[in-house]
Amino acid sequence: MYEPIRTKPVVQRRGGATVDYPHSSRGEALGIQLAGHLTALLAVTDELGLDEAAAQIAAQVTRLYGAQPARAPRGPVGSAAALHQRAHDLAARALLVAASRADTTVAILAAERMDAHAAALESLDLAGAL
């Protein structure tokens, strides 16, 4: 790991006056990053038409953002395998950030979504082999 910065960052202007700018904490930054990954996962989940999973993800995004996420209407579904792979990757990113943030609820949800998309990919591979 790294040694944390122990001094408060300030910017000095000409003339010696110091200006203190608001900085987000590490926890706030992780929360924003986690909400972003979940929002992207929600978009792919909506595109796949997985309504129950999308509702669970939307509830967590709402908890993190404090407002309902914007949701696009379902469009034409592209390649199901590509969408499931993208969703699996996004869930993995959300799991990593949730673990860093110690957000057990989102970590469990992300792990469940990873398992579901991995199973869907496997079934698509099996169906393609037949």
Side-chain angles (χ1 to χ4, degrees), residues 4 61 66 114:
V61 172
M114 285 178 66

Side-chain angles (χ1 to χ4, degrees), residues 11 14 22 67 82 92:
V11 175
R14 272 191 173 164

Side-chain angles (χ1 to χ4, degrees), residues 45-128:
T45 305
D46 277 340
E47 193 170 347
L48 284 166
L50 305 172
D51 294 331
E52 185 178 325
Q56 292 174 340
I57 296 167
Q60 293 306 312
V61 172
T62 301
R63 181 178 62 88
L64 292 167
Y65 272 143
Q68 287 283 342
R71 295 178 68 177
R74 281 191 204 148
V77 175
S79 165
L83 288 172
H84 281 293
Q85 184 63 52
R86 175 103 173 108
H88 184 275
D89 295 344
L90 288 166
R93 290 178 188 157
L95 178 59
L96 286 173
V97 177
S100 295
R101 194 171 183 262
D103 192 332
T104 308
T105 306
V106 174
I108 292 170
L109 176 63
E112 288 173 350
R113 296 313 316 145
M114 285 178 66
D115 290 344
H117 292 295
L121 283 168
E122 187 175 313
S123 69
L124 288 172
D125 285 343
L126 290 175

